[in-house]
Amino acid sequence: MGGERETAWLQAAVPWRGGRFLEADQRDRLALAQVSAPAAALAAGVTPEADSPLEEHLVRAVLDGLCPPAFAESTTGFAGNLLKAFDPRFFLAMTEGGVASRTTRSRFADHASNRQRSLAWQRLRERDARFGKAQAASRFTKGQKGTTSPWGNAARALAAIVGPCWLAAEIAIIGASTSRNEWTTGGDLTVGSEPFGPDPDYGRLLQVLRVSEADTAWWKDQYGTYTDPLSRGVWALALVCVADASVVQDCLGELDAVVAALPPTMVTALTWSSSRFGKAYLGRRLPTEILTESAPLSARTHLLLAHHENLLPGDPPRGEWVVRPVGAPRKPPLEPLTLDRLREMAALDRGAVTWPVHRALRVRTAWEPTSEHLEALRAAGPADLEFDDAADLLREAEYAVEDVDLPDIYLKSILQEPACYPRRWVKSVPLRWSQQHPASYLAPIAEEEGWFASDAD
């Protein structure tokens, strides 16, 4: 514990939740120095003592958006209960008719079950009675049906208990991204409050984002007025997820400056949250052309924009789930970006947030298999991206790895160094090889050559 390989050991313990078996002195030695370490500890079942420094560390990581909720169901303790109760995926699921159910569309079926969330809320109330009000705030009450009240009110209630934080801001931005046709703006506000700054009102943030989504002057004014890291990071997330495409284009310079100046941990939270929005296909989509306009920008900024690229014909309605019509022309992902830029983007994070890059590499490799494309796949590394229906386009035939016909020389390269390539490619290559090179069954060969013939014969 506490060594250079601490995070790797914690990640290895996730499948069987080995963190449950750590003794108190072992837990005390956990450093959790790497960005991904707190998430690994929670997923592995590490449960610190109440009010201990380790618990404080894990709780802070959850509030800072550094614990992706993919393993929320297996988490325990105060930090785990916070993650279950305020899981962004639950609030994403609420955008589908106001009911967050495990039976809704599969893109949202991975949040904690209602029973698990109920138990989490119960434990949070036992810890602090104020969480009772937060639980009530996250529900639709009389007169709130069809409004954004639960998102804004839940974000406000969380901030009232723990202070301004990334998790509360993300919940508010989810509410701001909802369909204008299905949801009217609602929720509580504090008179004279601000959407950003040292004491933000996340209910006001939600409402002002919906009102100002197309107002470039407002976005630039907020950028210049609020310069603290949390305000700047939330501003950037709201920009890529909510602002009109014309506003994003006008603010590309400011966005790139924010990404360059934010602390690394907050850049990570920004990237993970942006990926969640993009995979959920919530909010408006950005035209591919904006990637051309953003050519001088950093690879990280390109990745944020890539999460929200529109690959559907026309301009899909904001906040509504639209599947590409059957027979509609396919659109190459990230077409304006060079292969070198895709390599840079893939190298930023070997996790699931780089799914737009993997999607683009699949298409380019399928359409024109070259050694350069193979090297780009190698640069992407052994990412384990099991895409779900969150980005429906990923399951369309033209984006499927399994259907890519690679020349033998490239198949051999992947087979010889499987640890160097994305796992989904590695899994598909043996089948593809066997299909292209059918082998004779061993039984007829053995009989013909008398492998097992007895001396008596």
Side-chain angles (χ1 to χ4, degrees):
M1 297 296 101
E4 293 181 359
R5 298 182 181 179
E6 177 184 86
T7 302
W9 280 111
L10 288 170
Q11 290 171 340
V14 168
W16 52 286
R17 300 187 63 225
R20 295 173 298 165
F21 305 107
L22 292 179
E23 301 292 341
D25 64 316
Q26 293 175 315
R27 293 196 299 268
D28 291 341
R29 294 203 304 272
L30 288 172
L32 305 184
Q34 294 181 316
V35 173
S36 58
L42 279 176
V46 174
T47 305
E49 298 292 332
D51 298 318
S52 66
L54 178 58
E55 182 187 70
E56 183 179 347
H57 191 149
L58 292 177
V59 167
R60 190 69 258 168
V62 169
L63 298 177
D64 288 346
L66 297 177
C67 291
F71 297 104
E73 294 182 58
S74 64
T75 58
T76 57
F78 185 30
N81 290 327
L82 280 172
L83 191 58
K84 288 189 183 81
F86 295 96
D87 187 342
R89 296 171 304 174
F90 175 84
F91 291 94
L92 285 168
M94 285 177 61
T95 65
E96 297 188 321
V99 179
S101 168
R102 290 288 291 266
T103 60
T104 57
R105 293 173 187 166
S106 58
R107 59 188 176 125
F108 295 133
D110 51 0
H111 62 78
S113 68
N114 291 335
R115 180 177 180 277
Q116 288 178 317
R117 292 189 76 248
S118 295
L119 290 174
W121 279 118
Q122 178 183 333
R123 293 174 182 133
L124 289 175
R125 293 194 306 270
E126 293 171 354
R127 178 75 177 243
D128 188 328
R130 292 177 294 175
F131 281 108
K133 293 183 178 180
Q135 182 179 12
S138 66
R139 297 169 175 164
F140 289 94
T141 59
K142 186 176 180 180
Q144 292 182 348
K145 185 178 180 180
T147 74
T148 60
S149 299
W151 290 277
N153 291 347
R156 280 168 52 90
L158 176 59
I161 300 171
V162 302
C165 63
W166 186 271
L167 182 58
E170 181 174 348
I171 292 170
I173 295 173
I174 292 171
S177 302
T178 52
S179 168
R180 305 305 187 258
N181 296 328
E182 298 180 18
W183 303 95
T184 58
T185 304
D188 298 335
L189 297 174
T190 299
V191 177
S193 61
E194 301 285 340
F196 301 103
D199 187 23
D201 180 345
Y202 291 124
R204 186 170 296 279
L205 173 66
L206 183 159
Q207 297 193 20
V208 75
L209 287 177
R210 288 170 70 92
V211 171
S212 307
E213 61 191 26
D215 186 351
T216 299
W218 180 85
W219 287 91
K220 287 184 175 288
D221 178 67
Q222 302 303 299
Y223 172 83
T225 301
Y226 303 101
T227 58
D228 62 282
L230 180 58
S231 294
R232 283 283 176 87
V234 172
W235 179 91
L237 179 63
L239 182 75
V240 297
C241 296
V242 180
D244 277 5
S246 60
V247 173
V248 177
Q249 184 168 330
D250 291 339
C251 295
L252 286 175
E254 289 85 350
L255 175 62
D256 201 46
V258 169
V259 172
L262 285 178
T265 53
M266 194 165 289
V267 172
T268 298
L270 171 61
T271 307
W272 287 349
S273 296
S274 173
S275 174
R276 267 193 295 276
F277 274 85
K279 290 176 70 177
Y281 229 74
L282 186 66
R284 57 86 193 93
R285 310 306 293 175
L286 293 173
T288 299
E289 292 72 26
I290 204 168
L291 296 170
T292 304
E293 296 291 336
S294 63
L297 304 182
S298 68
R300 177 73 66 173
T301 302
H302 269 142
L303 180 58
L304 294 175
L305 298 174
H307 290 149
H308 308 278
E309 182 187 16
N310 177 30
L311 297 177
L312 298 172
D315 187 16
R318 177 186 292 270
E320 297 184 22
W321 180 249
V322 180
V323 178
R324 185 174 69 90
V326 176
R330 59 186 178 182
K331 192 174 182 180
L334 309 183
E335 187 175 22
L337 300 183
T338 65
L339 199 57
D340 286 340
R341 175 42 57 101
L342 293 183
R343 286 196 195 98
E344 292 179 66
M345 293 163 66
L348 291 173
D349 194 310
R350 293 295 174 84
V353 296
T354 55
W355 56 266
V357 181
H358 286 258
R359 180 172 62 185
L361 289 176
R362 285 189 211 177
V363 174
R364 296 191 189 192
T365 305
W367 291 359
E368 186 183 1
T370 66
S371 58
E372 289 78 11
H373 288 130
L374 192 70
E375 280 302 312
L377 288 173
R378 185 185 176 93
D384 192 6
L385 304 183
E386 293 298 335
F387 299 116
D388 52 27
D389 289 333
D392 212 29
L393 295 166
L394 296 176
R395 285 193 178 269
E396 294 187 12
E398 61 263 32
Y399 299 137
V401 168
E402 292 76 9
D403 296 330
V404 177
D405 287 322
L406 289 177
D408 285 358
I409 187 174
Y410 302 146
L411 293 175
K412 287 182 178 179
S413 296
I414 295 175
L415 288 171
Q416 288 170 352
E417 298 181 292
C420 298
Y421 293 90
R423 291 188 181 96
R424 192 153 185 177
W425 285 86
V426 173
K427 292 176 183 177
S428 69
V429 165
L431 176 61
R432 177 61 61 185
W433 179 270
S434 64
Q435 290 173 338
Q436 295 179 191
H437 301 276
S440 301
Y441 288 103
L442 287 178
I445 296 176
E447 183 177 356
E448 181 180 340
E449 298 187 4
W451 289 1
F452 306 105
S454 64
D455 293 339
D457 294 339

